[in-house]
Amino acid sequence: MVGDLLFTVNTVAPLMLVMLAGFLARRLRIMDDVGVKQANSAVFHIFLPVLLCMNIADTPAGLAVDVRTLLFGLLGVLCSFLLLFALAPRLCPPREARGVFIQGVARSNYAIYGIPLVMLMYPGAETSVAALMVVAVVPLFNVMSTVALMAYRGTRASVWGMVRGVLTNPLIIGTLLGFVLWRLRWPMPDVLHTPLKLLGGVATPLALFLLGASINFGKARANLRLLALGVTGRLVLLPALFLGLAVLFGIRDVALATLVAVFASPTAVSSYPMAQQIGGDADLAAAQVVFTTALSGITVFAWVFVLRTLGFLG
């Protein structure tokens, strides 16, 4: 239990400190709104796509495939989005905020936050299911988030318009390219692999820094009801539903820990630049990432503690 508590502190505190640095940079006028917007565009079009591509491409080949857990994660994420598409018009009256609300609740920070969680919970164990889950859920996160944002960005979106938006989304292109490289097992030469890994390594700290620079607590207060609903849905309600189902289906130990990482992790950092670039309430998107990340230290610890106490996590 102490180890899990230390992990959550050691995971969340650095993220919050990077966001704090961005917040202070904006308040000290080291950066202005134009600079933040331009940097977010670079994160969305360059750094995050490269990060997703390399994360998937570098997934080891020949791993044992836990089809049941991967399928549960895939279908669970899909059901999360479909459920929120149905509920959003009632829960979220402002149309321009619905797409942001949907992705903020349904889309977790699995690749950045979740995989290290599983590795720490089971050091030295066979955790291939956690690595392969990236291939299962990350493309779906990006496709469904793009559809949600385009559907509610304030203009009537045609089916072709949404399909084109999905196909031209840099995050989806990066994900698909990574999947192709992973399947082909093309031996990428170091002269390409090294700079691509360096570019991808910029994505998370820069996205967090810019997120902090974009925080406006006044606007967060204006979105307080939606923010509370989004945080509760992301950290409490969805994990309760899908982890409960996973336990009923007999999923245990490393496989269950992987699903904890999928369904209980905070909102993906990439949600904010994606909302800003595609359209939607960017202030709400930023607030969802900030508050789910901050509170996940409590909620993830609680989920792990409860599941271990009940004997579902060995």
Side-chain angles (χ1 to χ4, degrees):
M1 184 174 69
V2 174
D4 295 326
L5 178 60
L6 288 175
F7 165 75
T8 54
V9 171
N10 290 334
T11 299
V12 174
L15 302 180
M16 298 306 296
L17 289 174
V18 174
M19 285 191 287
L20 177 61
F23 178 79
L24 293 176
R26 181 68 182 88
R27 295 305 174 270
L28 294 173
R29 299 186 179 180
I30 296 173
M31 298 186 71
D32 58 14
D33 290 337
V34 175
V36 171
K37 189 171 184 178
Q38 290 175 336
N40 263 315
S41 180
V43 169
F44 180 72
H45 288 96
I46 301 173
F47 302 120
L48 279 172
V50 172
L51 174 67
L52 292 172
C53 177
M54 298 308 292
N55 277 350
I56 294 174
D58 287 345
T59 301
L63 298 178
V65 180
D66 183 346
V67 176
R68 181 177 64 161
T69 303
L70 295 177
L71 189 60
F72 186 96
L74 184 69
L75 293 177
V77 169
L78 180 60
C79 289
S80 299
F81 275 99
L82 295 178
L83 178 63
L84 285 159
F85 268 108
L87 295 176
R90 295 184 179 183
L91 297 177
C92 186
R95 182 179 177 84
E96 67 277 6
R98 289 176 190 170
V100 170
F101 176 77
I102 290 170
Q103 79 153 347
V105 177
R107 183 182 189 180
S108 76
N109 202 14
Y110 177 74
I112 296 171
Y113 186 105
I115 292 178
L117 172 66
V118 179
M119 300 303 178
L120 186 91
M121 290 173 65
Y122 292 93
E126 170 58 54
T127 55
S128 59
V129 65
L132 289 174
M133 188 63 77
V134 172
V135 182
V137 301
V138 168
L140 186 59
F141 279 145
N142 288 320
V143 169
M144 296 303 293
S145 294
T146 302
V147 171
L149 291 171
M150 293 193 68
Y152 293 113
R153 64 179 176 179
T155 58
R156 185 175 295 275
S158 65
V159 174
W160 167 242
M162 286 193 287
V163 171
R164 184 175 57 188
V166 168
L167 294 177
T168 58
N169 184 316
L171 302 185
I172 293 174
I173 293 172
T175 300
L176 293 177
L177 181 57
F179 183 74
V180 170
L181 293 173
W182 177 70
R183 290 294 297 170
L184 294 177
R185 303 315 304 169
W186 177 60
M188 189 181 298
D190 289 342
V191 70
L192 287 178
H193 188 270
T194 300
L196 288 175
K197 290 294 286 186
L198 289 172
L199 285 172
V202 173
T204 301
L206 182 56
L208 288 167
F209 181 88
L210 294 171
L211 181 64
S214 305
I215 293 173
N216 186 318
F217 287 109
K219 292 182 179 179
R221 284 194 294 270
N223 288 316
L224 193 57
R225 176 182 169 276
L226 283 180
L227 182 59
L229 283 174
V231 170
T232 303
R234 174 66 257 159
L235 299 179
V236 180
L237 299 181
L238 279 187
L241 174 61
F242 289 104
L243 295 180
L245 287 174
V247 168
L248 290 177
F249 290 156
I251 298 175
R252 300 289 186 271
D253 302 327
V254 175
L256 183 59
T258 300
L259 295 177
V260 170
V262 172
F263 294 108
S265 293
T267 301
V269 173
S270 55
S271 298
Y272 169 64
M274 194 166 175
Q276 190 179 61
Q277 294 297 314
I278 295 178
D281 190 334
D283 294 314
L284 176 61
Q288 283 180 323
V289 176
V290 170
F291 284 96
T292 56
T293 301
L295 294 174
S296 65
I298 299 171
T299 57
V300 170
F301 173 78
W303 286 116
V304 172
F305 179 77
V306 169
L307 291 171
R308 281 190 170 178
T309 300
L310 295 175
F312 301 128
L313 291 174

